[in-house]
Amino acid sequence: MVEQRFADGGAVSPLGNRTFDPVVVVAGPGVEVLEHSFTDQLDVRLDPEPAVLGALGDRLRVAIPAEPNRVGRDGRRLALWLAPDEWLVLDPDNLEDDVARLTMEGGWPPDVTFVDVSAHRTLLELRGRDARALLARGCPLDLDPRVFGPDHCAQTLLARVDVILFRLDGTDAFGVLVRASFARYLVAWLTDALEGFYA
Amino acid sequence: MSGWRLAHGGLIDRSRPVFFTFDGRRLAGFSGDTVASALLANGVDVVARSIKLGRPRGIVAAGTEEPNALIAVEPGLALRRATEVELVDGLAVRSVSGRAPAPAIDETPSEHVWHHADVVVVGAGAAGLTAAQDAVAAGGRVVLLEGGHAAGPLPDGLVDAADFVFLPRTVAVGRFDSNMIVAHERRRGTPGANTAARDRLWHIRARDVVLATGAVERPLVFADNDRPGIMLAGSVGVYLQRYGVAAGRRAVVFTANDSAYVVARDLQAAGVDVVAIVDTRVRPGPTADAGGIEVLSGHVVAGTTGDEGLASVLIVPRDGDADRASPTVVEADLLAVSGGWDPALRLLAHTGARLRYQPSAGTYGVTEVPPRVRITGLAADVNGGVGAFSTLDPVWLVPAPDGSLDRHFVDLQRDATAADIRRAVDAGMRSPEHVKRFTTIGTGNDQGRTSGTNELGVLAALLGTTLEQLGPTTFRTPLVPIPMRVLGGPYRGELFDPVRTTPIHGSHVAAGALFENVGQWKRAWAYPREGESFDDAVLRECRAVREGVGIMDVSTLGKIDVQGPDAGAFVDRVYTNRFSTLKVGSSRYGLMLRADGMVFDDGTATRLADDHFHLTTTTGGAAAVLDWLEEWLQTEWPDLRVRLTSVTDEWAGVAIAGPKSRELLARLAPNLDVSAEAFPFMTVRNEYLSELPARIFRISFSGELSYEVYVKSWYGRALWDAIAAAGADLDVTPYGTEAMHVLRAEKGYVIVGQETDGTVTAADLGLDWMLSKRKWFIGLGALDRPHLTRPDRRQLVGLLPDDPDLHVPEGSALLPSGGLGTAGNVTSSYRSAALGRTFALGLLAGGRARIGSRVDAQVAGWRVPLDIVEPVLWDPQNERRDG
Amino acid sequence: MSGRRQPLDPHLVERLWRTPAPKPAYDVVVVGAGGHGLSTAYYLAKNHGITNVAVLERGWLGGGNMGRNTTVVRSNYLWDQSAAIYEFSLKLWESLEDELDFDVLLSQRGVVALAHSTHDVREIKRRVSANHANGIDAEWLEPAELKRFVPIINISPEVRYPVLGGSLQRRGGIARHDHVAWGYAHAADRMGVDIIQNCEVTDFLRDGDRITGVQTTRGPIAAGNVALAAAGHTSTLADRLGIRLPIQSHPLQALVSELIEPFLDTVIMSNTVHVYVSQADKGELVMGAGIDAFNSYAQRGSFLIIERMLAAAIELFPIFSQVRVLRTWAGIVDVCPDASPIIGPLPLGNLYVNTGWGTGGFKATPASGWVYAHTIATGQPHELNAPFQLDRFRSGALVDEHGAAGVAH
Amino acid sequence: MLLISCPWCGPREEIEFRNGGEAGVAAPEPDAEPTTDEISGFLFFRSNPKGSFHERWNHSHGCRRWVSLTRSTITHEIESESQPTGRFRP
C-alpha cells in the first residue's frame, strides 16, 4: 500500500489525476464518469473455507462473500468475488493499516496469499440516469437492477477491455475497475460513445 | 403516365408537401411518402433500365422485396430501394440499373447496443402489436421491432408501458444461437434526424421471440411479365391505402388466390376501372368476393404488350391449347398479380432451420417451430395455408402462345428468365443450388424475395418433378442488406482496438519518441532529435548505453506474482531450467516451451521468498503466458497449491543501462550499497528511492552493467523524471525498443517472436544448456522426436557481410549452395555503433557446424555472401555485464 | 503457340455432365465431388488413363467449400515444401482454361498481404525473400507504392494499425469457383468419369486390412482404390475405420456485398486485422474473415467475427463504409495442427486421404488433384506431396504455415 | 454467438470465453516418459465428431476458470450442464 503522504509526492493516476478526490473525466447530460484515483486494492487468494473466510472478513472489516459474483460491503470498503479462490478487497480511503496487520500477524493457512494490486487497476465511477445505457454500448452483461443488484459484481468486457463491474452503492452508480494501461483507451471510447449518445 | 394521387385517403400528411428530384426531375410528394409512392403519384412508370437487357422497369412492390426501383441517394450515393426511402425536402436520388455507383465515405460511426429481453416481437403489424400487448400484460421486458417507418400509432396499453421498448425503422437482420436477435436501427437520414444521429446495431438476448413478420407476395411467370405497370396486387393495395396512390387508371387483376380480390374491389372503389379479375383457379376460394367485377376463372395472362409501359394484357384459358391462338386482348395500364404468398420466416433459417415446401399451403414453410419461438399473424396463416392468402394450386409457369421462355422473367433484378433455367437443366443441372449459381437468380440485393420460390416452381415444372423433391431451402444473414459501417460500429480509427500505454507514455511523447505497436501496447521505438534520422537516433541511443548510461521504459513486460507452498515446484515445471534451488533475493533467466517442445516465451524469475516468485514475460506474451500457466494449474495440476496473479500494470519499470548506471543508481538510492560485491548480477533489492518503495533488479538485456527499477505504476512518471534529473550531467539518454533490439542482438540474446516462430527449439537457439537434465518440464517429452534431433535443423548463428556498411534486410533468405529453396533466414539485422559495422543473426540449416564458413543471403535478387560466426559479438566473456 | 481457342462459356454448353446411375464397381472411387475430388478424377483419367472412376457426392457437386470460398489464387507460401506445391498449382491455373477448354475466369490481378507492425514487416519480407528463393514472383511495396497500386487503400499513420507496407504477388488473383468445379466435372465426365450426386458414403467395404469399396445411400460400390476428398467431413469417414486424423473442422465465414461499379482490381489480405477482400467481376465485394475457434459442421459462425472483420475492412478502405453486406455464409474448413494438408495413403490398403487444406484448398485445386491422382495411380506420393504425409505428426517434421495461411488459425 | 453457461458466473456471451478444444485429453504426467506415439497423440490428435462434442472453454474475460460442456457441432446447441475444472465446485 502506498502511504497517503506520497500521493502528492509524484503519484499520477492512469488518467493523469494527482488527487484522492474523485475527478470527472467525461460527462454528458445524464451521465458522469469519474476516476477515484489511488484506491487501495488487495488481491486475496485462499481455498473457500467458511471459517477462514469469516476470520479474514473480521480482520479486514468487510464480509468476504462465498457466493460467486457477489460483493461484501462495509461503508466504502468492498470485497468483490472474482473467482472461487480469489477476491478483491478495495477501499477508496485506506486499507493499508489493516493489511499491514494481516500480513504481520499471519497465522493463515499456508495457501492464503495477499497481493497488493492497488495500482494495477483504477476505479471509474459511472453515475447518472444514463449510466446503465452507456455501459450497454459496449458491455454484453444484463445490468438491469432486477438482475444485477446492489450486491452483484462481475468480470466482463466493456468496449473489448476486461473490466470488473459492480454497483457502487444502492443507487444507479456503477463502479468499473479497469487495468491502468487500458484506462485511457476506455475513457476515449466512453467519450466517443457519449458524443453520439444525445444526438 | 398511369399512376395518380387520390383526392383523399392514405396516411400521408397532405398539409406538408415535400419536394425532391429523381434523375434531376423536380417532383412533389407529401410528408409520409416514400420515393416509390411519390414516383407513382407523379405517374412515373419507368424507374430503371434492367441490368443486362436494358428493358424498361417500373415499381413492382412496396417493401424490401422491390426488385426494380433501386436508387442512389445524393450526395453519398448510398444504394437504397425507392420503397424504403422516406421523402424529405431536398432529397435528390438517381435511378440505378442493378449495380451501384461507388458510394462516398460516411465517417459517422454506428452504435452497438447490448440488450436483454424476455420477449422480442418482430413486426409491428396488427398481430405484432397484439403479441406485444400480451407479453407486456404477462409482465417482463418486451421489445417490439418494426422494420418499416410508417408503423401505426401504438395502442394505449403500450405507449406508456414500463419495460417496453418500441424500435421503429429497425430490422432484425439475424437470429442467432439461443435467440440472439441482431437488429439494425436506421437513424441516419430519417426525417427530422439530427445529423449526428448514429445508426444502431442492437444485440438482443431474448428468452422468447415472436415472429409477426408477415408474408411476401409472389409474382406470376408469364411472357413479358416485366413491363412497367405490372405490380404485386398486395403492393397495389398498400399504395392505395397507405399513400392514397392509385397505380393505374385501367387495371386487370391476375391472381391464383383470394387475396387479390380485396385489392380489385378497393381499386374499383377508388375510381380505377378494373376490367377483369383473371383467376387461375376454376373455382375461386370462399373469400373471393369480386364485388361485381368480371371474373375470368380458370384463365391466365399469357402475355402483355406495350412500349415503355404496359398497354394490354393477353388472356387465355388456363387449359385448352386451341384458344391460345386467339387470346382475349384487354387494354390496361396496370396489371396487379398475385401468384401466391411466402411466409417471411427467413429469420428461422439463420440458425439452421430448413424451410420445406408445404403442398397444403403452396409455399415454403416450417412444420415445427424452434423452441422459444412463436409465429403469429399473416406469417402463421400463410405458413399454415389458411385464409385468403393460401394458394393451394399455384401456377409456376404460364406457357407463351409461341412456346418461348426467354421473356418469362423470374428474377427481374438479375434479368434472369425461365429460358435461363431451361439452359441450366439442359446442361445437366438438377440441384436448385446449381441452377441458382448458373442463372444468378436470387443473388440480387432483393435477396430473391420475389424470385426464389418461383425459380423452384419453374425448375420443378421443367424437370417434371415436384417442389418437395427439390428439397428444402435455407437463407443466410443478413435479412436485408446492411451497411458495413453499421456492423463495424464505434470500433474505428484509434478506437479500432484497445491501446495500452505505460505510466511513462507522456514523457516519451514529450521527448518526441516514435512509437511501435507491440501487441496492444504503444512502445517508444526511438527518440529522434530535431533533424536526426531514425537510424542515427538508434546509433546514438546504442552508443549512450555502451559508453555512458541509457534509460528505457520496461513497464510493458508481463509480470506474474506466484505464491504458495508449491510455488518452487510449479516454477520448476514451467521453465526448462531449475528454479527450486534459486536463493531468495536472486533472479534467473528462464525459458518456457510449448508442450510440443518449441520455444514459447522467456523472461526472468526472481525468488522473493521461499514460497513467492516474481516472473517476467515478454511484452507480447504476457496474457498468453498467464493463461497458459493457469491452464496447467487448473486442468492438470489442481493438487499444486499455487496462486498466480497478474501484476503487470501494478509496477512501472525503468531500465538503467550502461557503464555509468551504477553511479546513477547510487545517486537515486544513496542508502543502497551498489558495489559489485554487495549487489551482484541477477539479484534483487528492496529499497526506498527518497520516500518511494522500489524493487531494484540487477539484470541486463543489453549486455552492459544494468539495473531495472520498479515502483508502483502511480509513480512511474515520477521515477522516470527523477532518474533523468539525477543523471542529467551523465547525459542519461532515453533509448527505445529498436536500440534495445540492437544491443541484445550484439550479445546474441534472442527475442521470442523474432528469432523464433513456433518452429524453433531451445537447442536451435544454442540454449540447450538451459534444458535441465535433472527435472521434468513442459515440452520435455516432445524434444526427442526424430525431426527435433536432426543435425541439419536451422540453428542460430551470427552473420557478417563483407561490406561493413551493407545492411542485409531482416527476413532475407539464406540460400543453399545450389538449386531452389532456402537454407534459413536472417532474423535480426542492424547497424552496430559498438562493432562499427553491420551484423545479423539468422537461423541456418546445420548452422553451428558451419561457423567459420560462408553462406549466401538473397538480397533483392542478388546473392550476398556472409561470414558465419558465433552469435555473440559483444563482450563474450560478460565482463561488462557482470563487473 | 498460335491463338488458342476461346474456352467454353458454361452458358453455351449443351451438357456439362451426365447424371449416371452408380455401377457396381469402379477402379477408383473418389469420395467427395468438390474441387479436389473432381480434379483428382480428371487427372486420374488424363495423366494415368484411369477412366473407370466414380466421384461420389452426398449433395451437389462443388457444393461444399468449393462453392463457398473467396476464390483467391496465389502461391506465396513460406516454406519450401508449400511453395513448391502451391507454385505448381499456380502454373496449372495459368493454363487451366486451355487444359479444360472451359472458362474459369482466372484474373491474375495480384494478391497483396499487408503489414501493420514491425513484426509483420519482418515476417512478410521473409516470405517475399523465400518466394524469390523458390522462383516465385513476389515484391515488397512501401506504403506509397501500395497506395499507387490500390488507390482506395488508407495508408494514414493515424489509424490504430497503420499500413507499413505489404507484399505483392502479381501472378496471384481470383477465379470463378463454380466454373472451376463445372470445368473439371465437364472434362472428367467427357472422359468417362461417373459423377454421382446425392450419393452419400455411409461406410466402407473391407477385406482384412484392405478397403474393397464403399457403402452408400444408393447401395454398395466396389472399388480398387478409395480416395477420400471430403474436406471437413473426412475425419467422420475415417472414424468409421477407427483411423484418427489430426484434423479439426471449424467454420470459416465469408460475405458478399451488393453490386458496385468496379473500384478494387486486386486482392488485399491482412493477417493482423483478419480480413481479405476482392471485387468479383459482377461487382460484389467478396470478403473472408478469421476462422471461428470452435469446432462446427453447421456452416455458420459467430456474427461478431463478421462485425470485427468489417470494422477492419473499413479501416483499410473507408470507401466501404456505406457499402451494404448482402449475404454471409460459412464453409467447414478442415485444419491440421500445422496449417498444412495431408495427401497420401492411410494405414489400410487401397485407401487414400486428401485433407487438412484449411484456408488453402481452392488455390491448391489443380495441384492437389494432380499429385493425389499420382499417389493413387502409383501407390507412391508424388515428390510434391511427399512432405505432406500423416507420419509427420509423429516425426515432428511439420510444415508450419500459420504465418502464411490466408488468415490466422 | 453462443450463450455459454459458466458454473460460477451463469450464462455469459461467447466473447467472454476462449475455446479450448476437446475436453478430457490428459497431458502426460510430470516425470512420465511418454513414447513418441503417446506424445504426438497428445499434441496433435483430437476427436472431431459431427454431433455431440465434449469440449473445454475458458471463461477468460470473466472468472478465468476452465469449464467443460457438451455441444452439438451440427446445431451448436449446448447439451449438458457446464462442469467446472480443477479443485473447486460451486
Side-chain angles (χ1 to χ4, degrees):
Chain A
M1 295 298 130
V2 55
E3 296 165 39
Q4 299 223 358
R5 67 176 183 277
F6 290 135
D8 50 14
V12 183
S13 81
L15 294 174
N17 296 317
R18 295 173 174 276
T19 160
F20 282 96
D21 310 325
V23 177
V24 175
V25 288
V26 52
V31 62
E32 263 188 332
V33 181
L34 306 86
E35 183 187 26
H36 295 262
S37 309
F38 316 120
T39 296
D40 288 350
Q41 297 166 60
L42 182 72
D43 186 89
V44 178
R45 307 294 293 272
L46 68 147
D47 289 5
E49 311 287 344
V52 187
L53 284 180
L56 194 68
D58 297 343
R59 212 78 73 81
L60 280 168
R61 295 189 288 107
V62 61
I64 312 291
E67 194 180 346
N69 297 293
R70 289 301 191 279
V71 184
R73 214 179 271 278
D74 185 327
R76 310 223 307 158
R77 181 168 297 186
L78 306 176
L80 312 182
W81 184 99
L82 298 185
D85 64 343
E86 182 174 20
W87 291 262
L88 184 70
V89 178
L90 60 140
D91 193 324
D93 303 328
N94 181 337
L95 201 52
E96 179 188 9
D97 309 337
D98 297 312
V99 171
R101 205 172 325 111
L102 262 187
T103 36
M104 215 158 21
E105 295 171 2
W108 304 104
D111 66 333
V112 177
T113 63
F114 307 99
V115 183
D116 175 8
V117 289
S118 301
H120 187 59
R121 299 185 185 89
T122 194
L123 173 59
L124 301 182
E125 175 181 0
L126 271 71
R127 68 183 181 203
R129 61 172 193 275
D130 296 332
R132 190 178 129 204
L134 181 59
L135 287 170
R137 293 282 188 271
C139 177
L141 229 55
D142 186 352
L143 297 175
D144 185 303
R146 288 161 296 189
V147 178
F148 190 83
D151 62 339
H152 284 70
C153 67
Q155 294 170 94
T156 182
L157 290 164
L158 176 58
R160 299 183 176 138
V161 174
D162 286 328
V163 294
I164 304 171
L165 264 182
F166 58 96
R167 295 233 176 223
L168 213 46
D169 46 42
T171 73
D172 57 8
F174 288 87
V176 178
L177 284 158
V178 59
R179 287 175 68 164
S181 57
F182 287 101
R184 284 181 184 277
Y185 170 84
L186 187 58
V187 167
W189 186 91
L190 287 165
T191 307
D192 176 70
L194 269 176
E195 274 174 30
F197 202 90
Y198 298 104
Chain B
M1 293 308 201
S2 50
W4 50 288
R5 178 89 63 180
L6 303 178
H8 38 70
L11 302 174
I12 50 170
D13 180 351
R14 292 170 186 263
S15 69
R16 292 177 49 212
V18 179
F19 295 92
F20 71 107
T21 65
F22 175 73
D23 286 338
R25 280 176 63 192
R26 189 158 186 280
L27 299 169
F30 292 114
S31 172
D33 264 326
T34 62
V35 170
S37 63
L39 288 173
L40 277 174
N42 282 278
V44 178
D45 30 9
V46 178
V47 297
R49 298 277 156 185
S50 70
I51 188 166
K52 287 194 208 129
L53 306 170
R55 288 169 67 99
R57 292 286 167 80
I59 292 164
V60 168
T64 52
E65 72 272 34
E66 170 59 37
N68 288 337
L70 296 178
I71 52 175
V73 181
E74 308 275 9
L77 296 184
L79 185 66
R80 292 289 181 270
R81 285 182 205 82
T83 52
E84 68 186 6
V85 176
E86 297 165 65
L87 222 52
V88 286
D89 241 324
L91 180 73
V93 302
R94 52 172 96 157
S95 63
V96 170
S97 293
R99 190 153 90 165
I105 295 170
D106 182 346
E107 288 182 331
T108 311
S110 74
E111 296 171 346
H112 284 188
V113 183
W114 293 90
H115 197 74
H116 303 262
D118 296 299
V119 181
V120 169
V121 179
V122 185
L129 290 171
T130 309
Q133 280 171 302
D134 297 349
V136 166
R141 294 178 283 174
V142 179
V143 176
L144 176 60
L145 306 174
E146 168 53 49
H149 47 85
L154 287 179
D156 299 344
L158 292 181
V159 229
D160 45 12
D163 282 335
F164 173 68
V165 180
F166 174 54
L167 298 173
R169 300 187 176 92
T170 306
V171 183
V173 293
R175 175 181 167 272
F176 303 93
D177 305 286
S178 310
N179 271 347
M180 163 63 77
I181 299 288
V182 175
H184 172 205
E185 180 185 6
R186 298 187 308 276
R187 298 171 76 221
R188 304 266 297 145
T190 56
N194 181 323
T195 51
R198 300 177 177 186
D199 279 13
R200 290 196 180 119
L201 189 71
W202 292 77
H203 302 79
I204 310 174
R205 270 285 168 208
R207 190 195 65 220
D208 293 284
V209 169
V210 179
L211 297 180
T213 41
V216 179
E217 198 167 20
R218 293 194 301 260
L220 282 151
V221 181
F222 52 90
D224 294 309
N225 61 335
D226 68 326
R227 295 191 194 282
I230 302 176
M231 299 175 64
L232 291 170
S235 302
V236 170
V238 169
Y239 285 110
L240 211 52
Q241 305 302 346
R242 182 178 295 173
Y243 304 101
V245 174
R249 299 189 180 275
R250 187 174 159 84
V252 170
V253 174
F254 178 24
T255 184
N257 61 73
D258 292 358
S259 67
Y261 281 72
V262 185
V263 178
R265 294 205 309 275
D266 292 347
L267 282 170
Q268 188 87 300
V272 176
D273 174 12
V274 183
V275 189
I277 299 174
V278 180
D279 194 322
T280 61
R281 302 168 299 178
V282 177
R283 197 172 296 96
T287 59
D289 171 6
I293 303 167
E294 181 189 3
V295 177
L296 296 166
S297 58
H299 279 65
V300 293
V301 172
T304 67
T305 66
D307 180 6
E308 285 291 83
L310 178 69
S312 69
V313 299
L314 286 53
I315 304 168
V316 301
R318 178 174 174 179
D319 309 309
D321 297 339
D323 306 298
R324 286 280 162 79
S326 57
T328 313
V329 179
V330 176
E331 287 188 9
D333 61 3
L334 172 64
L335 175 60
V337 299
S338 180
W341 294 78
D342 296 328
L345 297 176
R346 295 184 173 208
L347 282 175
L348 292 181
H350 292 170
T351 31
R354 294 301 194 82
L355 272 59
R356 299 175 188 283
Y357 188 74
Q358 318 285 337
S360 58
T363 183
Y364 282 82
V366 293
T367 45
E368 62 187 52
V369 180
R372 311 224 70 95
V373 176
R374 189 162 65 86
I375 307 172
T376 183
L378 181 57
D381 293 348
V382 174
N383 184 59
V386 300
F389 293 81
S390 69
T391 306
L392 301 181
D393 177 23
V395 172
W396 298 114
L397 183 63
V398 179
D402 62 3
S404 70
L405 289 175
D406 57 358
R407 293 189 327 282
H408 286 63
F409 288 88
V410 176
D411 187 327
L412 293 164
Q413 189 173 112
R414 298 297 311 148
D415 253 351
T417 65
D420 296 317
I421 299 176
R422 157 67 52 76
R423 260 194 296 282
V425 169
D426 292 345
M429 295 177 170
R430 298 293 177 267
S431 160
E433 278 296 331
H434 279 148
V435 174
K436 179 171 133 199
R437 287 156 182 265
F438 185 93
T439 61
T440 76
I441 289 172
T443 62
N445 87 340
D446 57 350
Q447 296 163 307
R449 276 183 171 65
T450 55
S451 59
T453 307
N454 280 346
E455 175 203 3
L456 298 168
V458 171
L459 178 60
L462 294 176
L463 288 174
T465 177
T466 65
L467 283 88
E468 296 96 300
Q469 286 167 306
L470 291 180
T473 63
T474 189
F475 301 96
R476 306 281 175 198
T477 47
L479 189 72
V480 298
I482 177 170
M484 293 186 178
R485 62 177 178 80
V486 172
L487 294 170
Y491 303 96
R492 84 285 181 203
E494 280 297 334
L495 299 180
F496 172 67
D497 195 47
V499 186
R500 300 182 71 179
T501 52
T502 77
I504 309 171
H505 189 75
S507 297
H508 308 321
V509 173
L514 298 173
F515 292 89
E516 72 165 327
N517 288 313
V518 182
Q520 290 178 314
W521 287 98
K522 292 280 179 193
R523 295 202 74 182
W525 193 15
Y527 301 79
R529 291 175 175 163
E530 196 62 37
E532 185 183 41
S533 77
F534 179 84
D535 289 359
D536 292 345
V538 173
L539 285 170
R540 174 179 49 79
E541 291 169 20
C542 290
R543 202 174 292 110
V545 173
R546 292 281 181 235
E547 297 168 6
V549 59
I551 54 173
M552 177 182 192
D553 182 353
V554 292
S555 308
T556 61
L557 290 182
K559 308 168 204 77
I560 302 170
D561 182 276
V562 181
Q563 293 191 60
D566 298 319
F570 175 75
V571 174
D572 265 355
R573 290 183 185 182
V574 299
Y575 285 114
T576 61
N577 43 337
R578 188 178 275 283
F579 281 82
S580 49
T581 56
L582 186 65
K583 283 198 215 54
V584 170
S586 293
S587 309
R588 187 170 288 165
Y589 174 65
L591 195 64
M592 289 185 190
L593 307 184
R594 303 189 316 206
D596 65 0
M598 301 301 161
V599 171
F600 172 47
D601 201 69
D602 68 347
T604 58
T606 302
R607 191 163 213 161
L608 302 173
D610 279 342
D611 59 355
H612 191 181
F613 287 80
H614 175 88
L615 273 49
T616 65
T617 75
T618 59
T619 295
V625 170
L626 181 61
D627 287 349
W628 170 250
L629 300 185
E630 270 291 348
E631 181 175 347
W632 283 92
L633 257 187
Q634 285 182 42
T635 66
E636 300 295 335
W637 308 326
D639 52 310
L640 289 190
R641 291 170 306 161
V642 180
R643 317 279 189 195
L644 308 176
T645 311
S646 168
V647 289
T648 297
D649 292 25
E650 172 72 13
W651 298 93
V654 178
I656 307 176
K660 298 180 182 168
S661 57
R662 178 173 283 134
E663 178 181 355
L664 178 48
L665 180 65
R667 296 181 186 183
L668 288 166
N671 307 328
L672 178 68
D673 182 347
V674 297
S675 67
E677 305 66 34
F679 192 177
F681 183 58
M682 291 310 248
T683 59
V684 62
R685 298 286 178 271
N686 289 311
E687 180 64 26
Y688 278 83
L689 310 182
S690 70
E691 291 171 309
L692 201 58
R695 196 178 273 174
I696 306 171
F697 299 81
R698 184 173 165 191
I699 205 167
S700 177
F701 196 46
S702 59
E704 294 302 315
L705 174 66
S706 165
Y707 304 86
E708 286 182 7
V709 183
Y710 288 86
V711 296
K712 235 179 211 325
S713 55
W714 298 334
Y715 298 94
R717 183 78 185 261
L719 174 67
W720 179 269
D721 296 343
I723 295 172
D729 60 317
L730 303 174
D731 192 22
V732 61
T733 304
Y735 65 101
T737 51
E738 187 65 13
M740 177 264 284
H741 286 181
V742 177
L743 295 164
R744 62 88 205 178
E746 291 168 347
K747 280 291 293 180
Y749 294 159
V750 303
I751 287 185
V752 171
Q754 181 160 351
E755 271 66 39
T756 72
D757 61 1
T759 70
V760 178
T761 67
D764 298 340
L765 297 174
L767 297 177
D768 25 356
W769 58 271
M770 294 187 69
L771 305 177
S772 171
K773 303 273 180 299
R774 300 188 306 281
K775 69 168 184 83
W776 183 91
F777 52 87
I778 296 172
L780 174 64
L783 290 179
D784 52 12
R785 288 178 295 154
H787 187 72
L788 276 65
T789 54
R790 294 164 53 126
D792 62 347
R793 286 186 62 84
R794 297 182 171 188
Q795 299 159 333
L796 185 72
V797 294
L799 299 163
L800 299 175
D802 299 349
D803 174 354
D805 291 326
L806 177 74
H807 176 261
V808 180
E810 288 176 352
S812 299
L814 300 174
L815 302 173
S817 39
L820 285 180
T822 60
N825 62 289
V826 172
T827 57
S828 299
S829 179
Y830 307 101
R831 303 180 185 284
S832 165
L835 305 174
R837 58 159 303 135
T838 59
F839 74 103
L841 298 175
L843 290 163
L844 174 64
R848 202 131 54 246
R850 296 178 59 182
I851 286 173
S853 67
R854 289 166 62 91
V855 65
D856 287 349
Q858 174 179 254
V859 180
W862 299 82
R863 293 181 83 102
V864 174
L866 306 169
D867 285 328
I868 306 169
V869 299
E870 286 288 345
V872 183
L873 298 168
W874 179 256
D875 186 27
Q877 307 313 320
N878 297 323
E879 285 149 0
R880 306 173 63 90
R881 187 191 72 185
D882 304 351
Chain C
M1 270 175 52
S2 58
R4 65 177 179 80
R5 288 163 305 143
Q6 184 61 33
L8 288 181
D9 173 344
H11 294 82
L12 304 179
V13 182
E14 282 299 301
R15 171 184 293 288
L16 285 169
W17 51 75
R18 298 163 295 126
T19 308
K23 290 189 280 179
Y26 292 90
D27 295 341
V28 178
V29 162
V30 178
V31 181
H36 290 215
L38 292 167
S39 64
T40 301
Y42 171 75
Y43 291 113
L44 277 169
K46 176 77 175 356
N47 295 359
H48 306 282
I50 304 173
T51 58
N52 183 25
V53 175
V55 185
L56 307 183
E57 170 56 49
R58 57 198 282 269
W60 39 284
L61 70 86
N65 292 343
M66 189 60 177
R68 296 164 186 275
N69 66 81
T70 47
T71 77
V72 176
V73 169
R74 61 186 175 90
S75 67
N76 55 347
Y77 277 65
L78 175 63
W79 299 99
D80 299 347
Q81 306 93 312
S82 317
I85 192 167
Y86 281 104
E87 175 59 14
F88 179 66
S89 201
L90 185 50
K91 289 200 166 71
L92 290 177
W93 275 110
E94 287 170 323
S95 59
L96 196 58
E97 295 197 343
D98 282 340
E99 175 71 24
L100 302 178
D101 188 20
F102 201 85
D103 183 2
V104 299
L105 295 172
L106 175 69
S107 165
Q108 291 180 286
R109 52 181 59 190
V111 172
V112 173
L114 298 175
H116 299 275
S117 68
T118 49
H119 176 270
D120 288 355
V121 170
R122 185 184 309 113
E123 288 306 309
I124 291 180
K125 284 183 172 176
R126 174 186 176 191
R127 181 139 54 104
V128 167
S129 188
N131 291 156
H132 288 162
N134 281 288
I136 296 170
D137 76 300
E139 300 162 50
W140 170 262
L141 301 183
E142 293 297 330
E145 301 170 289
L146 264 174
K147 184 73 179 171
R148 275 195 297 280
F149 188 68
V150 191
I152 63 172
I153 199 169
N154 176 20
I155 57 168
S156 158
E158 297 314 308
V159 302
R160 179 68 181 86
Y161 295 109
V163 172
L164 303 183
S167 67
L168 166 62
Q169 181 177 27
R170 292 186 188 271
R171 287 166 59 238
I174 55 176
R176 176 71 68 79
H177 50 14
D178 291 331
H179 287 208
V180 177
W182 301 347
Y184 272 115
H186 183 47
D189 177 88
R190 274 185 303 183
M191 284 187 291
V193 171
D194 284 356
I195 301 165
I196 302 163
Q197 305 180 70
N198 301 311
C199 178
E200 179 168 10
V201 170
T202 55
D203 207 340
F204 296 85
L205 310 175
R206 55 191 292 182
D207 171 7
D209 293 344
R210 272 179 55 255
I211 295 297
T212 60
V214 292
Q215 187 58 254
T216 79
T217 49
R218 293 169 66 173
I221 301 176
N225 287 299
V226 172
L228 305 181
H233 303 280
T234 303
S235 42
T236 314
L237 290 165
D239 284 347
R240 293 219 154 268
L241 297 164
I243 298 174
R244 273 172 83 78
L245 294 172
I247 293 290
Q248 296 284 286
S249 297
H250 294 276
L252 175 59
Q253 299 189 77
L255 62 84
V256 291
S257 74
E258 53 203 358
L259 308 188
I260 317 155
E261 298 295 336
F263 63 11
L264 177 63
D265 60 1
T266 187
V267 182
I268 304 271
M269 43 211 308
S270 168
N271 213 339
T272 302
V273 296
H274 286 196
V275 65
Y276 48 108
V277 57
S278 64
Q279 185 173 20
D281 57 325
K282 255 171 50 207
E284 70 269 34
L285 293 171
V286 182
M287 289 193 202
I291 288 182
D292 278 81
F294 56 76
N295 292 41
S296 174
Y297 292 86
Q299 293 187 326
R300 56 193 171 87
S302 167
F303 197 64
L304 294 177
I305 287 196
I306 299 286
E307 294 177 13
R308 201 88 182 98
M309 159 172 78
L310 290 168
I314 294 171
E315 285 300 288
L316 297 175
F317 302 105
I319 195 173
F320 289 1
S321 52
Q322 291 202 77
V323 176
R324 296 192 297 182
V325 175
L326 195 55
R327 189 169 66 259
T328 69
W329 69 90
I332 306 167
V333 292
D334 39 327
V335 182
C336 273
D338 60 355
S340 288
I342 302 167
I343 324 167
L346 283 175
L348 283 173
N350 309 337
L351 180 64
Y352 300 86
V353 70
N354 175 358
T355 187
W357 287 96
T359 59
F362 178 71
K363 59 188 72 68
T365 302
S368 170
W370 182 289
V371 301
Y372 197 27
H374 174 100
T375 307
I376 297 159
T378 66
Q380 295 302 321
H382 186 283
E383 60 172 345
L384 288 174
N385 64 312
F388 299 104
Q389 300 304 301
L390 182 56
D391 65 9
R392 75 179 187 270
F393 295 97
R394 187 181 179 287
S395 69
L398 305 188
V399 186
D400 191 323
E401 286 289 353
H402 284 103
V407 291
H409 290 190
Chain D
M1 295 171 85
L2 307 173
L3 186 64
I4 299 167
S5 186
C6 168
W8 304 100
C9 306
R12 295 290 188 98
E13 292 294 332
E14 181 187 333
I15 47 169
E16 289 191 5
F17 294 81
R18 184 164 56 88
N19 182 281
E22 185 180 12
V25 180
E29 285 298 314
D31 303 322
E33 287 176 6
T35 65
T36 302
D37 285 332
E38 286 166 348
I39 197 70
S40 54
F42 163 69
L43 290 174
F44 302 124
F45 291 77
R46 296 289 182 273
S47 307
N48 188 30
K50 194 185 301 183
S52 294
F53 185 48
H54 189 44
E55 68 183 355
R56 308 185 309 156
W57 293 84
N58 181 236
H59 192 194
S60 51
H61 299 290
C63 63
R64 288 166 57 218
R65 299 300 100 182
W66 280 91
V67 309
S68 65
L69 53 82
T70 302
R71 182 180 57 88
S72 164
T73 58
I74 300 170
T75 65
H76 291 181
E77 188 184 336
I78 293 171
E79 302 165 329
S80 78
E81 296 281 308
S82 347
Q83 296 302 318
T85 308
R87 198 142 40 108
F88 307 110
R89 293 286 173 274

